Amino acid sequence: MSHPVNPTLGQSSYPRLNRSLSAVESWGFGLTAHISWTALVPAIHAALGSQAIFVWIPAVIFGMLLNYQVKRLGIHFINVAGGTPNYGTKLLQNYPGLACYAAIGYLLNWVSYLAVNTIVLKDLIKVNLEALGIACPEILLNIGFTLLPFIVAFSGTRALSILHLFFVIPAFGLLMTFCLQGLGWLAFSGDSPGFFPSNWSSLGFVDWAKWFFFVTYATYSCETASSFVADSRQPTKTLRFLDFAAWMMPPIFVGGSWVMMRLATDSSLKDNAFLNLVAASQPFWGKSAAISVSFLLVAACLLGSATVVSNCPRILYQLALDKHISPVFSVVSRRGVFVPALTLTLVLCLIYLIWGDVEQIVAVGNVGWFVSFMLLHLGLWLRRDRSEVLFPRISLAILLLEVVVLVVGGLAWGWLNLLIGLLFPIGVMGIDAVIRRVNFPPFHSSWWMQRYKSRPVVIIKDSVVLQVIILIFLLCSAVAVGWLFGGKLNKAATAGGENLFVVLLMTVAFVGVAIACWTSLPQVVAIAEAREAAEHLFTVAQDGILVVDDRGIIQQANPATESFFGVSPSELRGNHLNKWLTALVYYPDQWTKRSEQTLLHKGKNKILEVSISDRPHQDFQEYVVILHDITQRKQAEQILQYSEAQLRQEAKHLASQLVHSEKMSSLGQLVAGVAHEINNPINFIYGNITYANQYIEDLLKLLQLYQQNYPHPVTEIQEKIEAIDLNFLIADLPKLLTSMTVGIERITEIVLSLRNFSRLDETEMKAVNIHEGIDNTLIILEHRFKAKSNSLTIEVIKEYGDLPLVECYAGQLNQVFMNLLANAIDALEEAVENGEWRAEKAALSPPKICIYTQLTNENQVVIRIVDNGTGIPENVQKQLFEPFFTTKPVGKGTGLGLSISYQIITQKHLGQLQCISTPGKGTEFVVVIPLNQQAI
């Protein structure tokens, strides 16, 4: 039962429930079980008498605990429809078969409630009609009372919820009055038989289990509001109502039962609900007892039926969404109608109705109901470590007790009823299996989805005619019914005809709502939706919308007008529009349909496009004025006329980026290639110097041994020793090798700096040591710091701060350091060539470059490169970072170095590059970049 029939149709394609119900409307459904007490209490009272209270008390305690547990589950499963049974399927998700069985058992009990209500209402009308001498159309009443709630349900949820709320509030209030007034009368009235009975009869466990099994029909069902959490606009408020529902159980189930036990003591009353309630309420309600009880019983039946057709489809809907039953039951119409789920509910109800035996229907329906709560408590125990489970140990204890009650109490109601009740959910699961496999289009969700997409929307243009026809029909029907029954009711007034009047009154109310749901209500809803859509557009429109009368006086204004005129819409109302748009004449019928107007707002002119349309009414004339700000469009038109310079600038910028990209790529590859090619022979030489040094030392030692053992060599050898100056060679050769080693190490260091500078393998942003990049750049440029024939030595001063690793594009940042340092060297060399540093000045202040680094409190890394050259003129500073701008002679600069550096710092690193220079005193370049680029 857990695989969808059509795997190609994903669950996401199904319509979802709209949160259309207010919290108050969902609360109404949570009071249905309290009112159903009126139908249950006479049976247990007739069977157990005063001992019935010992059944009600534990049942109420368990029911209250259940409400708190369901509330916690609802908060956890806030988008789950159907309430308790579908929470149970979530708890038993590892046992999908049991989960589905439990939910369907819960469903079948609610369906049986509708059938029982139909039979009870039919019997009530039958008794009253026979008293009037009128034959009762039983089949017609059975069909009518069964179909009546479905007719309303098939039109949408809102009408049913409002209808339910309208009657449940007075019914619940009347029931609370019965319970509290009855208890007060028992406690304080002089005619009271006493609050407590004089003696108590014994109660066996079998009888207790039998009737505990029976009363859970009401005490376990006070959590019905949770079924509508997925529909509620305020789901948490809907769930908070479960607290109220829990605390209303003691005064009704215990207090009301106590009143019945003490006041309805005549054994001839048997289990007749009407007679028992009248007998119990007559001492304090007097003559109004009969009509009040009739209202309570009819309300309990009709409101219970309305709850069934609202609750059951949601259970099936959620089961289908969770893939426990066929996906067809998850289909919802645009109006929120569960057509397939309602149809199955109707079929099951008709099965119960055809059966016709109220006692057996209740017994059979209660078996699946009781088992579903047993499995819920089992799921709570299995998920006892989860936060949504409140009382795991208590749930286990209740489960064990329920197992005993099911066996003992179920058998007490008849083994056949118990067996049918256990098998009925399996039968429904079998029906679902057939629906999955039969190739009948309405059994598949795709058929319904296609139907909802393609069904045309019927719009009645003249709904006034329809409303008048419906009104005439209802009035004529009311007159006909009144004329038919008026005489009979007058003749039988003493025989309880007012009871029939209550039944007819509430039935006509339901019928009237049903007729309205299928006739006038869709038109009313369409009108309301159109009004809401128009109001929404009026409110959210960015253009200003004004409604003016035939004299040009502003009647309405939308919020957007405040941005146009600078005053609130309320201040606009009552003023003439030409107060702001002075070019408009006084009367709107003389205004141009479309024009451009100038509005002075906050010292600036706005150009508005003003469109005007008339809106004639029966009694007056209105005009709708739409204001559209076209100031930016006009400005754009002007800007386009002068865009040539901007386009040229952008072209230069793009060219610089292209040159920079090619330059960086070529430079990086060249540097890396040269470093790699130099590195191989250098490594070869450096590796062999060690061996050469060793070999030479060995040869020199061998030569010393020859000198010691042959102190007087032949003349030819002596002449050669003098010619090559052997003693100097022996002394200088180790120094030569040492110098070669130092040179090789210096070359190796330069090659490593070149490789680090290029960083071809580090094109992505990473955390690096900034100081290492600066030092590598200085090594590469070291030859330019040394003195030449016509220049002085440039002194480099490094004052590094304590910097952590900095996130940056290392290769590009090294390029910036190279450009800035090279520019500083060029500036100093140019100053030396121009004679700025004579011998006396050089002694006091030699050419120097200072490099400072620091980390600010705002996690900004600051690098300052300062030279003491001649500085940069102020007019040159303004163009310093522009592409292709250079002050160097042709062939010595491209004008891209500082421009590229500026782009790298500001665009790639989101930092700042500044030049601070005073002519004659030097230049300072300040680089500021964030410590962490990802934090930006």
Side-chain angles (χ1 to χ4, degrees), residues 354-466:
I354 294 171
W355 193 352
D357 190 322
V358 174
E359 183 177 346
Q360 283 192 323
I361 291 174
V362 172
V364 169
N366 213 32
V367 171
W369 169 265
F370 201 77
V371 171
S372 71
F373 282 97
M374 289 172 52
L375 294 175
L376 174 69
H377 289 123
L378 174 63
L380 292 171
W381 172 250
L382 294 176
R383 302 287 290 272
R384 57 188 175 275
D385 57 334
R386 301 295 294 270
S387 60
E388 63 267 25
V389 178
L390 277 179
F391 318 109
R393 295 181 182 275
I394 295 177
S395 296
L396 178 61
I398 294 175
L399 170 62
L400 297 176
L401 177 62
E402 287 172 338
V403 171
V404 176
V405 170
L406 176 66
V407 175
V408 176
L411 289 175
W413 285 101
W415 68 268
L416 184 60
N417 293 332
L418 178 61
L419 180 62
I420 295 173
L422 292 173
L423 294 178
F424 203 175
I426 298 175
V428 175
M429 295 167 73
I431 294 174
D432 173 67
V434 172
I435 291 174
R436 288 170 179 266
R437 288 166 175 77
V438 172
N439 190 20
F440 180 55
F443 287 174
H444 301 283
S445 53
S446 58
W447 184 85
W448 291 97
M449 297 293 291
Q450 188 63 33
R451 180 172 179 269
Y452 289 144
K453 290 179 181 178
S454 60
R455 187 175 62 179
V457 179
V458 179
I459 300 176
I460 301 176
K461 295 183 178 180
D462 193 353
S463 61
V464 176
V465 175
L466 178 64

Side-chain angles (χ1 to χ4, degrees), residues 744-761:
I744 293 297
E745 289 176 351
R746 172 62 180 158
I747 294 174
T748 302
E749 184 180 353
I750 292 174
V751 170
L752 179 61
S753 298
L754 287 172
R755 294 179 64 187
N756 289 337
F757 178 81
S758 66
R759 292 185 181 267
L760 285 179
D761 57 338

Side-chain angles (χ1 to χ4, degrees), residues 236-343:
T236 54
K237 285 189 176 182
T238 295
L239 288 170
R240 281 203 294 269
F241 182 76
L242 295 180
D243 297 341
F244 175 81
W247 286 102
M248 289 299 100
M249 293 166 67
I252 293 176
F253 294 148
V254 177
S257 298
W258 190 266
V259 173
M260 291 286 291
M261 177 186 73
R262 297 300 298 137
L263 297 179
T265 56
D266 190 346
S267 59
S268 63
L269 300 175
K270 298 183 180 180
D271 61 353
N272 186 290
F274 177 77
L275 296 178
N276 276 272
L277 287 169
V278 169
S281 59
Q282 207 161 23
F284 49 88
W285 277 353
K287 295 181 179 180
S288 63
I291 194 169
S292 299
V293 169
S294 296
F295 174 77
L296 271 177
L297 290 175
V298 175
C301 292
L302 290 177
L303 295 175
S305 298
T307 303
V308 170
V309 297
S310 301
N311 186 22
C312 292
R314 284 164 174 76
I315 298 172
L316 293 171
Y317 165 82
Q318 190 64 47
L319 286 175
L321 281 188
D322 295 338
K323 301 182 180 180
H324 289 291
I325 60 176
S326 171
V328 72
F329 296 111
S330 67
V331 176
V332 187
S333 74
R334 294 186 183 93
R335 294 167 62 187
V337 181
F338 309 83
V339 177
L342 278 170
T343 303

Side-chain angles (χ1 to χ4, degrees), residues 550-616:
D550 56 355
R551 296 177 300 157
I553 305 300
I554 300 172
Q555 303 297 318
Q556 289 180 291
N558 72 332
T561 54
E562 186 169 354
S563 64
F564 288 86
F565 301 110
V567 295
S568 65
S570 60
E571 295 178 47
L572 289 174
R573 288 193 289 269
N575 292 289
H576 199 284
L577 184 55
N578 66 8
K579 179 178 179 181
W580 289 273
L581 303 179
T582 55
L584 294 176
V585 297
Y586 194 78
Y587 292 103
D589 58 358
Q590 301 176 10
W591 293 349
T592 305
K593 294 297 182 183
R594 187 181 296 271
S595 63
E596 293 182 4
Q597 303 289 333
T598 301
L599 172 68
L600 180 62
H601 178 56
K602 294 183 178 179
K604 296 181 179 180
N605 285 330
K606 279 187 176 183
I607 302 176
L608 304 181
E609 184 180 66
V610 181
S611 303
I612 303 167
S613 64
D614 56 354
R615 187 170 65 171

Side-chain angles (χ1 to χ4, degrees), residues 55-194:
V55 177
W56 283 110
I57 290 175
V60 166
I61 293 173
F62 291 172
M64 294 177 69
L65 293 174
L66 178 68
N67 265 36
Y68 282 102
Q69 177 60 77
V70 170
K71 176 186 175 184
R72 175 65 69 88
L73 292 173
I75 293 173
H76 186 74
F77 302 115
I78 199 68
N79 293 315
V80 173
T84 304
N86 298 103
Y87 300 156
T89 61
K90 300 291 185 182
L91 297 173
L92 294 169
Q93 59 185 357
N94 294 330
Y95 308 94
L98 278 179
C100 184
Y101 179 92
I104 292 177
Y106 182 102
L107 170 84
L108 288 174
N109 186 62
W110 272 104
V111 175
S112 70
Y113 187 33
L114 194 152
V116 170
N117 290 336
T118 298
I119 296 172
V120 170
L121 282 173
K122 182 258 297 180
D123 291 341
L124 183 61
I125 294 176
K126 180 180 178 181
V127 170
N128 285 278
L129 286 178
E130 289 176 350
L132 297 174
I134 302 174
C136 178
E138 296 188 28
I139 298 177
L140 185 62
L141 289 176
N142 281 336
I143 296 175
F145 282 120
T146 301
L147 295 180
L148 182 58
F150 284 97
I151 293 173
V152 182
F154 272 108
S155 68
T157 303
R158 282 301 306 280
L160 192 61
S161 64
I162 295 171
L163 174 67
H164 188 284
L165 184 66
F166 182 81
F167 283 105
V168 79
I169 291 176
F172 182 77
L174 186 62
L175 179 60
M176 284 296 297
T177 302
F178 168 83
C179 298
L180 299 178
Q181 189 175 356
L183 290 172
W185 191 87
L186 283 173
F188 303 109
S189 175
D191 298 328
S192 170

